[in-house]
Amino acid sequence: MTRRMLLIYNPKAGKGVFLQYLSEIIDLFTKAGFLVEVYPTQASGDAVKKIERLQDEYCMIVPAGGDGTLDEVVTGLLRSGRKIPIGYIPVGSTNDYASSLGLPTNPLEAAGNIIGGKPYRFDAGIVNENHMFIYVAAFGAFTEVAYQTNQDMKNALGHLAYLIEATKRLGDLKSYPLKVTTSGESKEGNYIFGMVTNSISVGGIKNITGKDVELDDGLFEVTLVHNPKNLLEMREIVGCLLTSNYDTDLIDFFRTDWIEMVGPQEIPWTFDGEYGGSFSQVHIEDRMKAVSMIIDRS
């Protein structure tokens, strides 16, 4: 029996490397009994619109691209209320979520993983009842550091690259006074950075989101970084982030199924590494097991 699949890819992701594999991947899926419809995204947000206006029935949607492409497909599905499983081919420059799931980064291996896999359900995040993210919502200083640090520098120096880049920006840091409320708890602070995550990797740094992270437990890991007074405190912050050691007064770390942050000014946020808008108030909820991902765990 032929099954209809939508393969939706970002032609620019990973410097266009996916195009080298497109024909072979279509052939693999066809041999596995899928009728493949291929759609290249045309601009940012295009995948969301494509998924939202789907009329045909598909047994699976396969996004090929970076975390942003996956985010758009998930957003389209959650907004439309469709329950279609996702098979992910990661070909972006960072691929944080694929790393969390243990997915292969070779496109042909990733396609084989989908063919031999079965659906598992994972959490997703909803911001202000409208914006979605699959693995991270973040604001502030390290948001830029993680995604703007030169990739060659990351490869050569590893964690040290982030320390160098972050300390270079100490004089440019902007802090945000926020009231933070979670289940049964409220606190106030002056923060330079915050992230709400459901991932073991952010910005290509593994384990920055804490230890013993589960992607389907209905809980976020929340990391809020206080404004450092000097270079030594900044180095302590970066060191703690890179080692997941939060035994410091400079970082608030906790787990929760929802969080609200309110401040006197609008703050720019990124969702899954892409700019998501500026808000003076955000309410973020964990939608437990809202996303179905096809994975081969054999």
Side-chain angles (χ1 to χ4, degrees):
M1 178 179 177
T2 301
R3 297 166 291 172
R4 294 177 61 85
M5 169 203 294
L6 176 62
L7 174 60
I8 184 166
Y9 71 94
N10 179 355
K12 297 180 180 179
K15 299 181 180 179
V17 67
F18 179 71
L19 293 174
Q20 303 172 27
Y21 298 91
L22 180 57
S23 178
E24 289 179 87
I25 286 173
I26 293 173
D27 185 59
L28 281 174
F29 284 130
T30 301
K31 284 183 169 61
F34 292 98
L35 179 61
V36 185
E37 177 183 324
V38 180
Y39 183 81
T41 58
Q42 303 299 300
S44 176
D46 189 34
V48 177
K49 297 175 184 176
K50 174 67 175 176
I51 301 302
E52 284 185 311
R53 63 174 182 257
L54 287 182
Q55 294 182 354
D56 294 330
E57 290 296 321
Y58 298 96
C59 69
M60 184 194 313
I61 297 174
V62 178
D67 295 318
T69 304
L70 175 63
D71 175 272
E72 289 193 14
V73 169
V74 170
T75 297
L77 286 174
L78 292 178
R79 286 182 179 175
S80 67
R82 292 184 172 89
K83 306 293 185 182
I84 306 173
I86 297 171
Y88 182 33
I89 300 178
V91 289
S93 56
T94 307
N95 301 316
D96 282 316
Y97 197 65
S99 177
S100 294
L101 296 176
L103 300 182
T105 54
N106 177 281
L108 294 177
E109 291 180 15
N113 181 281
I114 294 167
I115 292 169
K118 63 180 183 178
Y120 294 85
R121 303 200 70 85
F122 299 100
D123 300 350
I126 311 294
V127 183
N128 294 345
E129 294 295 333
N130 184 46
H131 303 273
M132 287 76 178
F133 64 93
I134 189 74
Y135 76 97
V136 60
F139 72 87
F142 297 99
T143 307
E144 292 184 356
V145 170
Y147 290 97
Q148 292 182 5
T149 302
N150 182 275
Q151 187 63 50
D152 291 337
M153 190 177 184
K154 291 181 191 177
N155 295 339
L157 301 178
H159 291 169
L160 180 60
Y162 292 92
L163 177 59
I164 293 170
E165 190 66 24
T167 52
K168 281 192 329 189
R169 299 176 182 222
L170 180 61
D172 299 325
L173 289 179
K174 187 173 184 179
S175 61
Y176 303 96
L178 289 171
K179 180 179 180 181
V180 179
T181 304
T182 62
S183 301
E185 184 178 0
S186 182
K187 65 179 71 180
E188 295 187 14
N190 209 26
Y191 301 104
I192 61 167
F193 170 72
M195 62 180 178
V196 180
T197 59
N198 189 49
S199 174
I200 65 169
S201 172
V202 172
I205 309 176
K206 288 188 176 181
N207 301 317
I208 193 174
T209 58
K211 300 172 183 177
D212 302 319
V213 174
E214 300 289 341
L215 306 185
D216 60 353
D217 60 356
L219 296 174
F220 294 123
E221 283 69 38
V222 179
T223 307
L224 299 172
V225 178
H226 291 269
N227 191 17
K229 298 183 181 67
N230 50 52
L231 185 60
L232 287 177
E233 288 193 351
M234 171 59 104
R235 289 178 174 171
E236 180 181 342
I237 287 169
V238 175
C240 289
L241 288 173
L242 296 179
T243 59
S244 298
N245 175 16
Y246 299 121
D247 186 20
T248 172
D249 293 334
L250 296 172
I251 299 175
D252 296 335
F253 177 83
F254 53 91
R255 291 181 167 92
T256 183
D257 59 347
W258 69 270
I259 183 170
E260 185 170 272
M261 288 177 261
V262 182
Q265 64 191 103
E266 290 194 341
I267 301 174
W269 281 77
T270 62
F271 305 133
D272 293 338
E274 305 290 336
Y275 175 68
S278 295
F279 312 93
S280 60
Q281 178 174 343
V282 295
H283 181 90
I284 304 177
E285 293 184 15
D286 186 301
R287 294 285 175 88
M288 188 174 181
K289 299 185 178 180
V291 178
S292 179
M293 300 287 295
I294 298 176
I295 301 172
D296 186 355
R297 286 180 162 172
S298 58

